[in-house]
Amino acid sequence: MRFRHLTIDCVEPYALAVYWSQLTGWPISEVDVPGDSEVLIEAPAPLPGLLFIRVPEAKSVKNRVHIDWQPTGRSRDDEVERAVSLGASIHEDHRSADGRGWVTLHDPEGNEFCIERSETELAR
């Protein structure tokens, strides 16, 4: 089998796809438009795409699965700041004084994700 998409239930698929497209730099599929009930952002191969699907209910509990992101070209702290400027909010801050740790955020619809240290930061 091939891991094709990671599907995220949401209220506004296109708006959430725009957020994630801006954060990842991955494009929204050419066939998707505002108002669609399913919207895909296309990841570079071999990564799975992120598929946003409209559901009638709002998120009400903690996700059972979430994505851990490792920055490329930026530090963890720069990436956290950028994610927040795009519409995320910090949920739990696990950074320590020695530079270790990660940050758990909520996307604009409340889905959890983490930003870890970059490879450069881990090598120090």
Side-chain angles (χ1 to χ4, degrees), residues 21-91:
S21 177
Q22 291 173 338
L23 186 64
T24 62
W26 303 345
I28 294 175
S29 173
E30 292 178 2
V31 300
D32 294 324
V33 297
D36 283 352
S37 61
E38 298 179 5
V39 178
L40 174 68
I41 65 170
E42 299 171 334
L47 299 174
L50 297 179
L51 180 62
F52 301 90
I53 295 182
R54 178 175 290 119
V55 296
E57 61 278 346
K59 181 178 177 297
S60 61
V61 297
K62 184 180 186 295
N63 292 10
R64 296 287 302 255
V65 174
H66 70 260
I67 304 171
D68 291 343
W69 295 95
Q70 184 178 49
T72 55
R74 291 185 184 88
S75 71
R76 174 203 53 212
D77 295 348
D78 289 343
E79 200 64 67
V80 167
E81 192 173 303
R82 193 172 76 82
V84 169
S85 75
L86 292 171
S89 59
I90 294 176
H91 174 61

